[in-house]
Amino acid sequence: MPKTLEYETLLTLIGERSAAFRATIADAPGLGVPVPSCPGWTLADLAQHLAVGRRKWAAIVAAGPADAPPPPPAADADELARTTQELVDALRAAGPDKACWTWWPRSPSPRTAGAAARHQVQELAVHTYDAQLALGAPRPLPDAVALDGVDEFLATCVATDLPWPHDPVTVEYHATEGDSWRLRLSSAGASVGRAEGPGEADAALWGTASDLVLLFYGRLPLDAFKIEGDRWPFEGLIEWEPGS
């Protein structure tokens, strides 16, 4: 698999995306503003979700290997700065190779603090986009976050040894920044790697890395992208929930 961002860079990005989220909601007329990309949620709900989640993952990383995560801790919507620091402190104390519980045991992503940190960057980045969207001023994910986010999503949330429930197919995702990924889907599961040169793919999709991440997390529709070849695999991937 491609080399990911350095661990210390991931910790910095966790802090930066948390700060960007807090700056966004500080400009809101109130925390009751609805978040269209999270139906039924307000900015207050989104802020509390992030605050609780960062404290939860701090506890998960600190606990080390486990069969289940610790009980969910409490946090208020205004505690995100504190819980983000708790998470960064726990990750720094653990180091990237410390094993911990994760929800992705069937994916090739390791069950370590390093992989947890990598996913935390994406959760904070996408929810910062949600908050910006709620205020009518969505901005693309930062380039470094987005490029790593495409790779992280495919490796953690798609690649699996669970069977693909449709005909075998190979698809490619091409970021306009220059990086490309090839995804092979079959009864043996889903495997992902970098795509070098013109493909052997049955279908290919193009977009910015930020837009690709937002597609993966259901924030942008498939119609917003250029597709060559069969469309059905991408529709199937949106519906597929291979589990963990």
Side-chain angles (χ1 to χ4, degrees), residues 92-125:
R92 184 166 285 120
D97 298 325
K98 181 179 179 180
C100 66
W101 175 89
T102 70
W103 49 259
W104 53 82
R106 303 296 290 266
S107 89
S109 287
R111 305 189 77 188
T112 61
R118 196 180 184 205
H119 191 71
Q120 288 299 299
V121 172
Q122 298 307 315
E123 184 162 358
L124 283 159

Side-chain angles (χ1 to χ4, degrees), residues 5 7 20 25 27 66 92 123 135 137 161 164 169 183 191 197:
L5 295 174
Y7 191 60
I25 65 171
D27 290 337
R92 184 166 285 120
E123 184 162 358
L135 298 183
D161 58 1
W164 167 245
V169 68
L183 183 63
S191 63

Side-chain angles (χ1 to χ4, degrees), residues 197-218:
E200 21 178 291
D202 300 293
L205 182 149
W206 279 261
T208 66
S210 175
D211 283 353
L212 291 177
V213 173
L214 295 173
L215 168 69
F216 294 158
Y217 285 98

